[in-house]
Amino acid sequence: MWRKSYTFSCGELEVIRAISDTFLPSINVSVDDDNKIINYEDSVVQFYGTSASMAGTPHRVNEKDENISWKAIGYTGPDPDQKARKLRTKITPKEHQEKEELYGPLYKGIINLKYQPREIALDKLQNLGFPVSIPQSRNARIKSFNPSFILKCDAVVIGSGSGGGVVAGVLAKAGYKVLVLEKGSYLARNNLSLLEGEAMDQMYLGHGILGTNNMNVLILAGSTVGGGSTINWSASIPTPQNVINEWTESYKLELFNSKDYQKALEVVCEKMGVQKEFQREGFNNEILRKGCENLGYHVENIPRNAPSDHFCGWCGLGCKDGRKKGTSETWLVDLVESGNGAILPECEAVKVITTKNKNKKKAIGIAFEFQHQGKKETAIIESKVTVTACGAMCTPEVLKRSGLKNPNIGRNLHIHPVVMAWGYFPDSDTWPEAEQKSYEGGIMTAMSKVVANSETWGYGAIIQTPALHPGMFSALMPWVSGKDIKNRMLKYSRTAHVFALARDKGSGSIASLNDISYKLESCDAENLSKGIEKVLRILAAAGAEEIGTHDKQGKVLKVKQAGTAEFDKFVKEESLRPFKYQLSSPICSAHQMGSCRMGVDPEVSAVSPKGETWEVEGLFVADSSVFPTALGVNPMVTIQAIAYCTAQSVLEVLGTK
């Protein structure tokens, strides 16, 4: 009766060993001295007891989606206020009203070529106004793909996240026929399991396991309908003025200092219901706020695309009630409700198809692949305009496969490197209250810019809080010994994490998901060090009993037993350790940008200020890859605002301004 998922590290099984006598008297659990499970439920389960990434270790739940170790570590499992309903494949006409609740507001526009019978899927597309034909094209390039069928539309958008979702919604509402290709699957509201391992496997790029060539950086990126907006932590921060100034003055991009861009920021924030208030603050953010206030550090509320009473710590695994307004709850709804659009999940773009037009290439469509009845097939979408919006990690590869030669494609990759520190707060009748848990509540409501260098270009670091469910927590925490990780896991629910995020000057490159390079510049490392120094002081000032970092030595300071000199020495040593070699886990990145940057000169940029590629007419890019530099804050609002402006450029091409 046990199901397998994919993210828990050694922490889970170590805790099983630690608590087996108490909670598992009827289960046969044996662990050898090397921390390998040698017998578990009469089956052999092997895993490696190392400090590095343990994301391949099984995370097991029973038929009730429960795990036997959760009680001991103080974890409830999937949000108990909203147990996920399982997807039903057959719905009668009488249940029509329930469809939106079960499938989410996109159910009428989702066309799944993998699971639906071919005739039904193509009939739906035909009925939505997308001509379908058996391959008879005279174009040799289209015929060379040997496609199963050809679709026609005004615009095809590759990617459904904060870039692609906006463009698709704007074009469809303007009356154009729009098809959206999404490599990931569609998981709507009540079809979300909210199980950490399952969600990472289903909704994250590379199944949640993606890193640079040297594994110095662990990369998290969305790969599902709605993209990163579906699994992000709801922070909705407008483009900082210092960034607008830099992009305008240093990169000559007048767009960002224009009324059009300001209007775009206003439109997207209104669409997402962005606001700064909250009714309750979660454990991690309370600690960040209190520590900053006690030290006199700057702290402010983070705008979120969720209402003030949205108290959910599972948003990184999908939004269970649709109250976090990602693109699958906003712009893609416009696409579907307009009657002019459809979304094709689990379809991967292979190549932009081009033709020569007066010595310049012109995009005329896209070839894409999908699975059907266990076999890979290729189909073609012929379009007047093509928009790539599959993120800074995937757009460069699509453009290169399509024959684009601009040397800036894949370069200038920025990642917002993140390092963390932690503080342990025992159960207390005073503050924070005993019932508060580290994984509950709004993931981001407080932020400090105490080391952000906002008075210049902002190349410093901001301080925020993460969402760490048990699997990620156990993978990131230092591995000192089996006994130590048991104790750390038993303290999981009262261990707060706070991180420093740098606006990086350093950059890397990406050729494919298997070839990502990145170098942390000395100035960025210095800013992260300053950030971690402040984070450790914040945790201590908030009342932590113990503090530590992710340094591989796993040093812990018992704050209340330490004198001032010992405390200062610990903070200095931990914050000055080289990040490249001393961490027990890679530097983390949840924001990737700049790999096809926008500019006014094709010698130093990949796309024009209108978002169109320099080499191919009618081929636009609308995602974080067009950022000229790193942004320095959570990028969702900026991505959407740029995409909104790019959509206006596409409308000009299509004939409606």
Side-chain angles (χ1 to χ4, degrees):
M1 298 299 292
W2 295 92
R3 286 196 289 120
K4 182 179 180 181
S5 194
Y6 299 98
T7 43
F8 264 52
S9 79
C10 43
E12 176 199 325
L13 293 176
E14 280 299 312
V15 169
I16 291 176
R17 182 187 182 193
I19 64 175
S20 60
D21 291 341
T22 304
F23 295 103
L24 312 173
S26 62
I27 296 180
N28 184 12
V29 180
S30 301
V31 185
D32 68 14
D33 292 337
D34 293 325
N35 297 308
K36 293 182 180 178
I37 299 295
I38 57 175
N39 194 355
Y40 181 59
E41 285 288 308
D42 297 319
S43 66
V44 176
V45 181
Q46 295 287 335
F47 75 100
Y48 303 98
T50 68
S51 62
S53 174
M54 296 299 299
T57 302
H59 164 211
R60 298 175 178 273
V61 293
N62 61 19
E63 67 278 3
K64 296 180 181 179
D65 286 344
E66 296 171 344
N67 183 285
I68 49 184
S69 67
W70 288 345
K71 183 177 180 181
I73 65 175
Y75 185 60
T76 61
D79 191 341
D81 295 331
Q82 178 102 8
K83 288 291 186 181
R85 276 199 258 164
K86 302 304 176 186
L87 180 66
R88 290 177 288 169
T89 56
K90 293 182 179 180
I91 294 183
T92 67
K94 292 182 180 180
E95 295 177 300
H96 176 78
Q97 198 166 1
E98 298 179 5
K99 282 185 178 180
E100 183 169 328
E101 181 184 352
L102 183 64
Y103 291 101
L106 303 181
Y107 75 94
K108 290 186 293 185
I110 296 290
I111 311 294
N112 199 309
L113 298 172
K114 181 176 180 179
Y115 298 112
Q116 290 180 323
R118 173 68 51 79
E119 295 77 13
I120 293 177
L122 295 183
D123 281 349
K124 284 184 177 181
L125 287 165
Q126 192 93 38
N127 292 335
L128 285 169
F130 298 100
V132 182
S133 62
I134 303 302
Q136 293 179 342
S137 176
R138 295 179 180 178
N139 188 299
R141 294 183 182 179
I142 290 178
K143 290 175 69 175
S144 68
F145 288 99
N146 190 28
S148 299
F149 55 87
I150 297 174
L151 302 171
K152 289 189 177 182
C153 64
D154 294 312
V156 58
V157 179
I158 309 166
S160 60
S162 290
V166 172
V167 174
V170 170
L171 299 185
K173 281 198 75 173
Y176 292 100
K177 291 295 182 181
V178 183
L179 286 173
V180 177
L181 291 178
E182 171 54 57
K183 181 168 68 172
S185 59
Y186 176 54
L187 294 169
R189 293 182 185 171
N190 288 317
N191 192 32
L192 296 167
S193 74
L194 301 184
L195 286 166
E196 185 180 13
E198 201 163 280
M200 295 289 285
D201 182 47
Q202 295 174 341
M203 304 175 77
Y204 282 72
L205 194 63
H207 307 287
I209 308 300
L210 191 63
T212 54
N213 294 338
N214 56 12
M215 283 307 296
N216 279 346
V217 181
L218 172 66
I219 293 169
L220 296 176
S223 183
T224 186
V225 171
S229 73
T230 297
I231 49 86
N232 71 11
W233 298 346
S234 77
S236 304
I237 304 172
T239 314
Q241 188 60 47
N242 61 285
V243 176
I244 289 176
N245 293 343
E246 183 182 9
W247 290 357
T248 303
E249 296 170 20
S250 298
Y251 292 87
K252 311 302 180 187
L253 290 166
E254 297 178 2
L255 165 69
F256 294 102
N257 208 28
S258 68
K259 291 182 179 180
D260 288 341
Y261 189 70
Q262 287 303 312
K263 176 188 175 183
L265 288 171
E266 293 168 6
V267 168
V268 301
C269 285
E270 182 179 358
K271 190 75 168 178
M272 292 188 287
V274 174
Q275 58 83 42
K276 287 186 176 182
E277 303 305 314
F278 56 85
Q279 294 183 13
R280 295 169 61 200
E281 192 158 41
F283 183 83
N284 292 334
N285 288 274
E286 269 195 5
I287 287 163
L288 170 57
R289 189 180 300 275
K290 183 172 183 178
C292 286
E293 289 173 347
N294 287 347
L295 291 167
Y297 292 169
H298 164 275
V299 66
E300 64 182 60
N301 288 6
I302 294 179
R304 299 182 297 153
N305 61 334
S308 61
D309 62 345
H310 190 62
F311 189 77
C312 174
W314 281 264
C315 279
L317 312 177
C319 187
K320 64 186 181 343
D321 54 17
R323 301 180 76 209
K324 182 182 77 171
K325 298 301 181 182
T327 60
S328 60
E329 302 289 343
T330 52
W331 300 99
L332 293 176
V333 176
D334 288 351
L335 170 87
V336 171
E337 291 185 348
S338 71
N340 292 320
I343 304 161
L344 308 180
E346 301 186 64
C347 291
E348 184 170 6
V350 176
K351 190 175 183 180
V352 177
I353 303 170
T354 60
T355 188
K356 276 289 185 78
N357 181 26
K358 296 181 180 179
N359 297 321
K360 188 171 184 180
K361 289 183 178 179
K362 177 178 174 57
I364 60 171
I366 190 85
F368 69 95
E369 292 179 342
F370 61 97
Q371 292 282 337
H372 182 67
Q373 295 182 347
K375 296 180 180 179
K376 184 180 288 187
E377 296 189 29
T378 301
I380 298 292
I381 297 175
E382 293 182 345
S383 62
K384 299 173 184 175
V385 171
T386 300
V387 181
T388 59
C390 36
M393 304 307 295
C394 295
T395 285
E397 188 173 6
V398 171
L399 297 183
K400 287 182 177 183
R401 282 202 304 258
S402 303
L404 276 72
K405 304 297 184 183
N406 186 301
N408 297 289
I409 295 172
R411 294 182 181 174
N412 310 302
L413 173 68
H414 297 279
I415 64 166
H416 281 171
V418 164
V419 292
M420 290 184 267
W422 58 268
Y424 172 57
F425 296 77
D427 293 351
S428 171
D429 294 328
T430 55
W431 186 93
E433 290 79 5
E435 65 273 11
Q436 287 190 279
K437 306 299 182 186
S438 63
Y439 53 88
E440 293 178 333
I443 299 169
M444 286 185 165
T445 53
M447 172 175 70
S448 176
K449 296 178 180 176
V450 67
V451 288
N453 296 331
S454 297
E455 68 279 1
T456 58
W457 291 130
Y459 284 99
I462 58 173
I463 296 173
Q464 297 177 326
T465 62
L468 293 182
H469 289 268
M472 188 64 73
F473 177 94
S474 63
L476 293 175
M477 292 298 281
W479 177 275
V480 178
S481 67
K483 180 179 180 181
D484 181 75
I485 196 66
K486 298 180 187 74
N487 289 330
R488 291 181 189 272
M489 290 306 299
L490 292 171
K491 295 176 179 179
Y492 157 72
S493 68
R494 297 285 292 186
T495 299
H497 268 82
V498 180
F499 65 74
L501 176 153
R503 184 185 183 205
D504 47 328
K505 283 189 175 180
S507 64
S509 64
I510 178 167
S512 70
L513 295 183
N514 297 317
D515 188 2
I516 308 166
S517 66
Y518 182 81
K519 181 181 180 181
L520 188 69
E521 293 291 337
S522 58
C523 59
D524 300 325
E526 182 179 348
N527 287 327
L528 289 174
S529 292
K530 291 177 181 178
I532 284 297
E533 185 259 334
K534 297 296 186 186
V535 168
L536 288 168
R537 294 186 183 279
I538 288 167
L539 291 164
E545 182 177 283
E546 300 173 352
I547 58 173
T549 65
H550 290 171
D551 171 65
K552 64 184 180 182
Q553 294 182 20
K555 287 188 176 181
V556 176
L557 179 72
K558 295 187 180 298
V559 180
K560 296 174 183 177
Q561 299 175 18
T564 301
E566 184 183 359
F567 174 77
D568 288 339
K569 180 183 178 184
F570 178 86
V571 170
K572 182 177 180 180
E573 288 179 351
E574 292 300 303
S575 61
L576 291 179
R577 294 186 187 279
F579 296 116
K580 186 172 182 181
Y581 302 109
Q582 296 298 322
L583 295 180
S584 64
S585 56
I587 291 170
C588 296
S589 167
H591 308 149
Q592 302 86 40
M593 64 216 96
S595 55
C596 295
R597 69 181 176 186
M598 180 182 288
V600 296
D601 183 351
E603 293 296 319
V604 294
S605 62
V607 302
S608 75
K610 290 182 175 292
E612 191 173 24
T613 61
W614 292 111
E615 297 172 73
V616 179
E617 249 181 58
L619 175 58
F620 290 80
V621 178
D623 54 36
S624 63
S625 68
V626 304
F627 287 14
T629 68
L631 185 67
V633 296
N634 308 69
M636 176 168 61
V637 170
T638 299
I639 298 170
Q640 293 202 14
I642 295 175
Y644 185 84
C645 294
T646 300
Q648 311 312 310
S649 300
V650 175
L651 287 176
E652 291 181 14
V653 172
L654 290 173
T656 302
K657 189 172 181 180

